[in-house]
Amino acid sequence: MGRNNRPKRDGKQIHLIVVDGKTEKWYLDLYKEKNSLKNFKVDPDLCKKRSLKEQFQIIKDNLDNYLSIIWIIDFDVILKESCETPKGEKTKLSEFRDYLELLKRHENVHILINVPCLEYWYLLHIKNTSKYYSCYNELEKEFKNTVLDGYEKTEKFYKQKNNDIYSKLEPFLEKAIINAKQLGDINIYDMEKGKAEMYKVFDILNKK
């Protein structure tokens, strides 16, 4: 049997995307469906909320099982919990930096950060901004009188028949990518700046 004809493990042919919330999974599942893609899977399958440590462990356990692993992180909760951490205890931000250091040696691991959250990526479809919002509640008013008017973090809103969130935003996708790139890369030691690295997922998944 020729080298190129040897059977591969299923995982080795696809990417694994690890997310920390339901909204990321719903959005990515819609992207996958609308574009008839089969080259990635999203974990958790059942949208189970997992801690930073649990997410890191999933990545660590699967390093050799996929083409690449993409870890998508919303930073609002990490920053909030870090501010509330009692003096002398390790913060979530410090914990995340430790995981980042451990994973950076693995070329097939991509860590994409949204500050404060996934909704900042959506906002960049609507307007070009670099404004910093500390949490989703601060930016939700920006959706009024736009294609995302009435936005809710619910499966019902995301998957409305013939009006799902991906279909609403897809006409503005190229604009959002340009706006996100203009914001530059994340500086893990200067996190109070609006950023959306979500756009990088499309480059990774479409790379030949």
Side-chain angles (χ1 to χ4, degrees):
M1 181 181 292
R3 181 175 182 180
N4 293 333
N5 294 321
R6 292 174 185 169
K8 298 180 180 179
R9 286 179 290 174
D10 288 343
K12 277 293 188 179
Q13 301 176 61
I14 64 175
H15 305 267
L16 175 66
I17 304 180
V18 178
V19 298
D20 62 355
K22 297 178 180 179
T23 52
E24 286 86 354
K25 175 169 173 55
W26 294 332
Y27 175 78
L28 288 165
D29 281 348
L30 285 166
Y31 166 64
K32 185 176 186 177
E33 175 189 334
K34 299 296 179 180
N35 292 280
S36 301
L37 299 176
K38 296 181 179 180
N39 68 334
F40 72 91
K41 64 172 286 188
V42 182
D43 185 279
D45 288 333
L46 300 178
C47 295
K48 177 185 176 183
K49 190 71 175 176
R50 292 191 173 115
S51 67
L52 273 180
K53 184 177 181 180
E54 289 172 325
Q55 293 172 65
F56 170 74
Q57 192 62 48
I58 290 168
I59 295 168
K60 185 178 177 183
D61 291 344
N62 285 284
L63 285 170
D64 297 322
N65 297 332
Y66 292 88
L67 280 175
S68 74
I69 300 177
I70 305 167
W71 189 10
I72 300 175
I73 292 283
D74 282 356
F75 235 71
D76 51 351
V77 175
I78 292 177
L79 292 174
K80 180 178 182 293
E81 292 183 355
S82 294
C83 289
E84 296 172 350
T85 301
K87 188 175 181 180
E89 293 186 14
K90 189 170 186 175
T91 67
K92 286 293 180 185
L93 180 55
S94 179
E95 179 186 350
F96 179 73
R97 286 172 178 159
D98 287 346
Y99 296 146
L100 197 64
E101 190 66 26
L102 290 169
L103 292 173
K104 73 179 186 180
R105 70 191 70 172
H106 300 283
E107 294 183 357
N108 68 325
V109 176
H110 308 274
I111 301 174
L112 311 184
I113 299 172
N114 297 310
V115 183
C117 53
L118 176 65
E119 283 78 12
Y120 197 79
W121 163 243
Y122 298 160
L123 181 61
L124 294 177
H125 289 68
I126 299 165
K127 62 188 295 187
N128 184 5
T129 181
S130 60
K131 184 176 179 180
Y132 170 70
Y133 302 86
S134 64
C135 62
Y136 163 70
N137 290 339
E138 289 184 3
L139 72 79
E140 64 177 334
K141 62 182 181 294
E142 303 285 0
F143 292 159
K144 291 181 179 179
N145 301 316
T146 73
V147 293
L148 289 181
D149 199 5
Y151 174 82
E152 297 176 355
K153 290 173 175 279
T154 64
E155 189 169 13
K156 180 180 179 181
F157 179 87
Y158 268 66
K159 298 184 178 181
Q160 294 177 69
K161 188 174 181 180
N162 300 321
N163 196 31
D164 62 82
I165 193 167
Y166 183 80
S167 296
K168 289 177 179 178
L169 293 174
E170 197 273 336
F172 313 102
L173 180 59
E174 291 304 317
K175 173 185 174 182
I177 291 173
I178 292 170
N179 290 342
K181 286 181 176 180
Q182 289 177 344
L183 295 174
D185 292 329
I186 291 288
N187 178 353
I188 196 63
Y189 294 97
D190 184 16
M191 295 303 296
E192 293 190 1
K193 291 182 177 179
K195 301 283 184 179
E197 293 192 318
M198 187 72 183
Y199 75 92
K200 295 182 180 181
V201 76
F202 304 106
D203 288 336
I204 298 167
L205 294 177
N206 292 314
K207 189 176 293 183
K208 300 298 183 182

